[in-house]
Amino acid sequence: MLKTLHVVAAVLFVGNVVVTGIWAALVFGARTRAADFRVAARAIWVTDVLFSIGAAALLVGTGVAQAMLAGMPIVGTPWIRDAIVALALSTALWLIVLLPAQRTMSRAAAADDDATLGAAFRRWTVWGWLATAPLVYALWRMVAKDG
C-alpha cells in the first residue's frame, strides 16, 4: 500500500508541475491584458497547495516509511539520497524564485500591469522548468535504482 501511495504521490506531484507550466503558458499567450491572467495566477497557487505541497508531503512520507520498513539507510542508499537531494534543490528553487514570481504575477494581474506580469511570468517559466529537471532526475533515480 505504501508503494502505491508513493507512486500516486510522484505522479500527482511531477504531473502537476509539468501540466501547470503548460496550461499557464497557454493562458498567458491567450490573454489580451494582464487582468485576463488573474484566474490563472490564482489557480497556480491552488494547485501548488493541493498537488505540489500535498503530494510532495505524501511522497516524502511514504518514501521514508518504505525505506525504514525495509531497513534501508536513507543517506547510504544512493538512489534515495540522490532523489532527496534533487527534491531539495527543486524545493529551494520553488521557495527562492518561483513563489516570489507567483506573488508578483498575482499582484500584476490584479493591477492589470502587463509589463510586470510578463517579466514575472518569464522568470517563473524559465526557473520553473529548471526546477522541474531535478524532479525528473529524482523520478529516474527512483525507478532505475542503479549505483
Side-chain angles (χ1 to χ4, degrees), residues 23-33 36-37:
W23 70 252
L26 293 172
V27 172
F28 182 81
R31 81 195 187 295
T32 56
R33 51 184 263 220
D36 295 342
F37 199 74

Side-chain angles (χ1 to χ4, degrees), residues 91-107:
T91 301
L93 290 172
W94 183 65
L95 291 170
I96 295 166
V97 181
L98 298 174
L99 279 180
Q102 287 173 216
R103 281 193 295 273
T104 301
M105 289 188 306
S106 290
R107 287 189 206 114

Side-chain angles (χ1 to χ4, degrees), residues 43-64:
I44 291 168
W45 282 103
V46 170
T47 58
D48 267 358
V49 169
L50 291 177
F51 297 107
S52 295
I53 296 171
L58 183 61
L59 181 69
V60 172
T62 56
V64 169

Side-chain angles (χ1 to χ4, degrees), residues 10 13-15 17-18 82-83 86-87 90 128-144:
F13 179 54
V14 177
V17 169
V18 171
D82 294 352
L87 178 60
S90 181
W129 289 116
L130 289 173
T132 302
L135 299 179
V136 173
Y137 170 75
L139 194 59
W140 172 77
R141 285 299 279 146
M142 294 303 291
V143 172

